[in-house]
Amino acid sequence: MEKRTWDVVVIGAGPAGLLAAGRAAMLGASVLLLEKMEKPARKLRISGKGRGNITNMRPLEEHLKEIHPEPRFLRQAFGAFFNHDLVSLLAENGVETKTERGQRVFPVSDRAWDVAEALVAWAGRQGVEIVNRARVESLVLEGQAFAGLVFTHSGSVQRVEARCGIVATGGRSYPATGSTGDGYGFAEAAGHRIEPTRPALVGIETAPAFEAAQGLNLRNVRMDLWVDGKKHASEFGETELTDKGLDGPIVLRLSRRIVDCLAAGQKVEVTLDLKPALDIAKLEARLLRSIEARAGGTCGDLLRSLMPAQLIEVFASQLGLDPTGRARQLAGPNLKKLSTLLKEMRFEVRGHGGWEDAIVTAGGVSLKDIDPRTMASKKVERLFFAGEIVDLDGNTGGYNLQIAFSTGWLAGTSAASSR
Ligand SMILES: Cc1cc2nc3c(=O)[nH]c(=O)nc-3n(C[C@H](O)[C@H](O)[C@H](O)COP(=O)(O)OP(=O)(O)OC[C@H]3O[C@@H](n4cnc5c(N)ncnc54)[C@H](O)[C@@H]3O)c2cc1C
């Protein structure tokens, strides 16, 4: 790295930083991209369980419904670069994509790694100079304008001057990937408000928790969220039992509210409906018929006809019954208990996973301090923000990566034109 003065310096080579840097260079800017890890985009490489659910093909209005807390903020960013643009950019760079259930897009190779490599190569071809193992320590401002930054590389402290800076350091989740929240400190020191950061898209700790059934996935179930005794939300789909409680898509979708309600000291419960297609009267009639048909069988046999094997012990112990006992024990008062358990198994939510487990960070640099038309700071001239550092987060389904790609592209476009 010879040159000491750049048009644009980008901090963080995640999906937001790569797009910002590549786009600014494409428009003719000289661009330096600093990444503190040994290689760029570590989080992108492990996203979607290594398969990389990189975006979602749902149309704009539906896309916006999946984003918090202020989806309208993204209209310009999505207008500048949306799902089709990402798919085209990747195709032009050798990564074919496919669309799966729920309109989720993955690389055909099922390797998020390929997406990361293609974007790093693309940015390089635009002329971006990427320096790995370069940890930015602070921003340098002149008055209220960006002037450069200080970083450490190979044990030495260096300073670069640049006309524009783009902070794309990500959130706080999965800190081992490099996202340790450094950018919040830079933003705060430069006078920006930071909305409190919380883990989002995270599993929950419950009582009871069924350790013996951990790893079990329950599909086509409904989960209701209860806060201080009132029903707040419902989700339908898949959940996973863990050693500490519950995880999986429907829990992740409810987790944002759960985390906030727990932080506010509210009583949080979830109920699980294992038979959402049947109302309680139909379920009870069906249970009664099954009990009569299996009068000679065991409770275990009957329960096995209703649920995955790993849950039999759980249900038997909740009902206080021996699974090897006669099925007819499930008639009478136990029938009501069984149907209630199947329709409304109740869990008290005692906590949630931390930064090591959360998929994304809620909170971040306040939207009030960023211009949505450009991603420019309203506090510091020629400073821009992109990606998860901004107070925006999406549900699972490819929405978080699209936020990073779109805000990165827009920030890169704006920085290049502010040279
Ligand atoms: C396990 C997991 C799976 C996920 N799966 C999906 C998925 O399938 N689909 C989806 O849409 N979203 C997914 N996400 C979320 C998504 O990966 C993130 O929202 C996205 O990576 C955010 O992009 P970003 O560029 O803003 O930040 P990051 O990807 O966090 O990149 C920030 C970069 O900045 C670097 N950096 C930080 N501080 C400094 C510093 N001081 N100096 C220099 N560099 C620095 C970091 O090392 C990092 O490389 C997943 C997240 C996780 C944890």
Side-chain angles (χ1 to χ4, degrees):
M1 198 191 74
E2 300 277 299
K3 187 170 174 172
R4 295 276 147 178
T5 304
W6 301 79
D7 291 330
V8 180
V9 59
V10 181
I11 316 172
L18 284 166
L19 271 267
R23 174 63 175 160
M26 178 191 267
L27 296 174
S30 60
V31 183
L32 174 66
L33 172 56
L34 299 175
E35 167 55 50
K36 75 172 173 192
M37 303 302 280
E38 75 295 345
K39 68 163 90 72
R42 284 194 56 177
K43 192 178 278 183
L44 171 60
R45 291 169 200 269
I46 59 161
S47 68
K49 300 196 169 124
R51 294 179 62 223
N53 176 195
I54 50 173
T55 186
N56 192 292
M57 293 319 282
R58 291 203 169 109
L60 180 67
E61 295 306 322
E62 281 182 49
H63 216 100
L64 294 176
K65 284 186 199 146
E66 304 289 339
I67 291 166
H68 310 276
E70 191 59 68
R72 281 174 312 166
F73 182 91
L74 284 167
R75 278 192 186 278
Q76 285 92 344
F78 285 165
F81 186 87
F82 197 39
N83 47 15
H84 290 281
D85 304 302
L86 176 68
V87 166
S88 306
L89 179 71
L90 290 173
E92 285 158 20
N93 286 279
V95 178
E96 295 301 329
T97 52
K98 58 184 173 180
T99 304
E100 296 192 355
R101 188 171 46 85
Q103 298 292 305
R104 295 169 308 149
V105 179
F106 295 86
V108 167
S109 65
D110 285 328
R111 282 166 47 99
W113 190 278
D114 296 346
V115 176
E117 289 292 290
L119 292 177
V120 171
W122 167 77
R125 276 196 301 279
Q126 306 311 310
V128 175
E129 175 146 352
I130 305 179
V131 183
N132 295 322
R133 297 191 175 91
R135 175 197 296 271
V136 174
E137 305 291 348
S138 58
L139 306 184
V140 177
L141 307 186
E142 273 169 14
Q144 276 311 96
F146 180 80
L149 47 76
V150 176
F151 68 101
T152 45
H153 184 236
S154 310
S156 74
V157 180
Q158 304 188 25
R159 182 180 163 142
V160 283
E161 285 168 20
R163 174 108 180 116
C164 299
I166 302 178
V167 187
T169 44
R172 289 190 201 280
S173 75
Y174 271 64
T177 61
S179 318
T180 46
D182 302 3
Y184 302 124
F186 307 152
E188 198 165 27
H192 302 82
R193 276 165 289 195
I194 308 296
E195 298 299 336
T197 53
R198 301 89 75 193
L201 301 183
V202 70
I204 55 176
E205 292 161 15
T206 61
F210 303 123
E211 206 180 337
Q214 67 175 291
L216 174 66
N217 279 303
L218 299 169
R219 296 200 174 83
N220 302 321
V221 295
R222 202 182 77 201
M223 187 175 282
D224 292 336
L225 167 63
W226 301 80
V227 180
D228 289 338
K230 277 203 199 135
K231 187 148 81 168
H232 260 229
S234 269
E235 288 287 347
F236 177 83
E238 186 175 333
T239 186
E240 185 193 338
L241 304 192
T242 66
D243 58 337
K244 295 206 181 98
L246 296 164
D247 207 326
I250 56 177
V251 173
L252 296 183
R253 284 204 292 275
L254 293 172
S255 65
R256 190 176 202 283
R257 283 202 211 186
I258 293 176
V259 169
D260 286 349
C261 292
L262 286 174
Q266 290 171 296
K267 181 174 185 207
V268 184
E269 293 164 298
V270 291
T271 51
L272 201 55
D273 181 351
L274 297 180
K275 302 284 170 197
L278 298 174
D279 65 27
I280 196 120
K282 278 202 187 116
L283 178 65
E284 284 178 4
R286 185 180 283 191
L287 288 174
L288 209 51
R289 283 200 301 277
S290 302
I291 293 166
E292 280 160 12
R294 288 164 208 268
T298 65
C299 285
D301 292 337
L302 185 99
L303 293 175
R304 193 163 300 129
S305 69
L306 295 166
M307 63 190 67
Q310 297 98 310
L311 279 187
I312 294 172
E313 287 290 342
V314 168
F315 268 70
S317 90
Q318 296 267 314
L319 294 165
L321 294 176
D322 174 1
T324 61
R326 293 269 155 239
R328 75 171 74 91
Q329 294 176 77
L330 284 164
N334 280 332
L335 184 81
K336 188 87 210 150
K337 282 199 207 159
L338 173 58
S339 60
T340 307
L341 259 189
L342 284 166
K343 289 291 291 173
E344 209 180 284
M345 189 187 273
R346 193 164 281 271
F347 299 83
E348 185 191 331
V349 184
R350 298 245 170 112
H352 55 79
W355 294 119
E356 282 70 26
D357 306 310
I359 289 180
V360 75
T361 305
V365 179
S366 171
L367 301 179
K368 295 191 186 91
D369 289 346
I370 303 174
D371 183 342
R373 294 166 301 177
T374 55
M375 298 309 293
S377 160
K378 291 183 182 171
K379 302 280 179 186
V380 175
E381 270 177 59
R382 301 188 312 277
L383 180 67
F384 301 81
F385 293 98
E388 202 176 310
I389 186 174
V390 177
D391 178 21
L392 288 166
D393 58 278
N395 282 329
T396 53
Y399 304 104
N400 286 296
L401 282 171
Q402 186 64 53
I403 295 173
F405 291 130
S406 297
T407 54
W409 184 273
L410 180 56
T413 308
S414 313
S417 60
S418 307
R419 282 178 283 156

